[in-house]
Amino acid sequence: MKITKKTEERIKTGIAKFRKVLEIAKERDLNESDTVAIITDMLAEVFGYDKYLEVTSELAIRGTYCDLAIKLGEKFEYLIECKAIGHELKEAHLRQAISYGSNKGIQWLVLTNGIDWQVYRLRFEQPIAWDLVARIDMSTVDVRVERDLERLVILTKEGVEKNARFELFEKGQCVNRYVCAQLLLQEPVVNLLKREFRRMSDGLSVEESEILALLRDGVLR
């Protein structure tokens, strides 16, 4: 997804500012409540949400409240589970967020401690399933790198409005090592390799079965 220069500059400036804030917060080992305050400011200053109108901590779930949620219009776009900045994010934290999301029918989840941001997409199946769509380390992310910027954009208001997160999800489903492995074993690739072997070795004949075995047992293994 293409973004405006204004949005890119906001992300760049915000990341630079909060990288320092997060570093100090980690040194001081701030508690969860203070970490949530920083994350709320990041949602506004880096990702472009109105923290008074579009970021809420008032989403009730099973008698309790989630840490934060992003609401645009009448729809909850992200449920955000926050942990103290000094806490490593664990599977138990993720399962808590998944429980909240599935209970409220919110498909997109963020699990974060301020530095580590993990974006998940729920699949409302039986049992519930989920996919990790992006993981961002705010201490090392580089806005100048296209792949990093692409991951940051899915958290922005602009990205949500233009469905950038689903585009990244679809890309991840198609462009991965498993799909690449299957493509390498397809007939067009095998035929291309046969031609190249023949060209390189003055008419050398190689059987398809030999190439497939080489790909499976040598290259892909």
Side-chain angles (χ1 to χ4, degrees):
M1 172 192 143
K2 291 184 178 180
I3 59 173
T4 64
K5 193 68 177 177
K6 181 179 178 181
T7 299
E8 185 174 345
E9 284 300 316
R10 187 193 69 228
I11 296 172
K12 183 178 180 179
T13 302
I15 292 293
K17 172 185 175 179
F18 282 98
R19 183 166 287 160
K20 297 175 183 177
V21 172
L22 292 167
E23 183 179 348
I24 294 171
K26 189 171 184 180
E27 288 176 358
R28 296 181 179 177
D29 196 22
L30 294 189
N31 60 29
E32 184 174 307
S33 179
D34 290 336
T35 303
V36 170
I38 294 173
I39 292 168
T40 302
D41 286 342
M42 292 178 71
L43 291 171
E45 297 183 42
V46 179
F47 300 116
Y49 300 99
D50 185 320
K51 70 177 181 179
Y52 301 109
L53 300 178
E54 297 169 339
V55 182
T56 180
S57 58
E58 296 297 316
L59 177 60
I61 303 172
R62 293 179 179 174
T64 186
Y65 292 91
C66 72
D67 293 314
L68 294 170
I70 298 295
K71 187 178 183 182
L72 299 182
E74 297 302 314
K75 183 180 179 182
F76 285 100
E77 300 288 355
Y78 275 118
L79 187 151
I80 305 173
E81 180 68 16
C82 306
K83 296 302 171 186
I85 195 164
H87 288 189
E88 180 183 353
L89 301 180
K90 298 181 178 180
E91 185 177 349
H93 303 147
L94 172 59
R95 291 193 175 278
Q96 183 180 14
I98 290 168
S99 175
Y100 289 164
S102 60
N103 181 264
K104 284 295 184 179
I106 301 174
Q107 189 171 41
W108 291 89
L109 311 175
V110 176
L111 178 62
T112 182
N113 59 10
I115 296 175
D116 185 2
W117 291 63
Q118 301 174 14
V119 182
Y120 293 88
R121 181 179 183 270
L122 290 188
R123 286 183 273 126
F124 296 110
E125 305 170 354
Q126 292 295 334
I128 197 80
W130 58 93
D131 298 287
L132 175 64
V133 178
R135 188 169 186 174
I136 305 164
D137 184 338
M138 291 296 176
S139 66
T140 59
V141 69
D142 189 343
V143 179
R144 297 169 298 178
V145 176
E146 184 177 351
R147 182 171 179 271
D148 284 2
L149 182 60
E150 185 179 49
R151 288 180 294 155
L152 287 165
V153 165
I154 71 170
L155 287 167
T156 65
K157 181 177 179 179
E158 297 90 340
V160 169
E161 291 174 338
K162 294 185 178 181
N163 219 15
R165 54 191 175 174
F166 187 73
E167 289 180 13
L168 186 62
F169 168 74
E170 287 287 284
K171 182 178 179 180
Q173 294 297 297
C174 296
V175 185
N176 60 61
R177 57 180 177 152
Y178 304 107
V179 174
C180 285
Q182 288 302 312
L183 291 174
L184 286 174
L185 297 174
Q186 298 300 308
E187 184 177 350
V189 176
V190 174
N191 288 338
L192 173 63
L193 290 172
K194 284 179 66 175
R195 290 196 301 271
E196 288 301 306
F197 287 143
R198 189 160 53 243
R199 182 182 64 81
M200 292 167 61
S201 303
D202 192 25
L204 176 69
S205 177
V206 182
E207 296 296 324
E208 289 185 15
S209 58
E210 293 180 85
I211 295 175
L212 286 170
L214 176 63
L215 289 172
R216 286 196 187 100
D217 302 331
V219 178
L220 299 178
R221 187 175 182 182

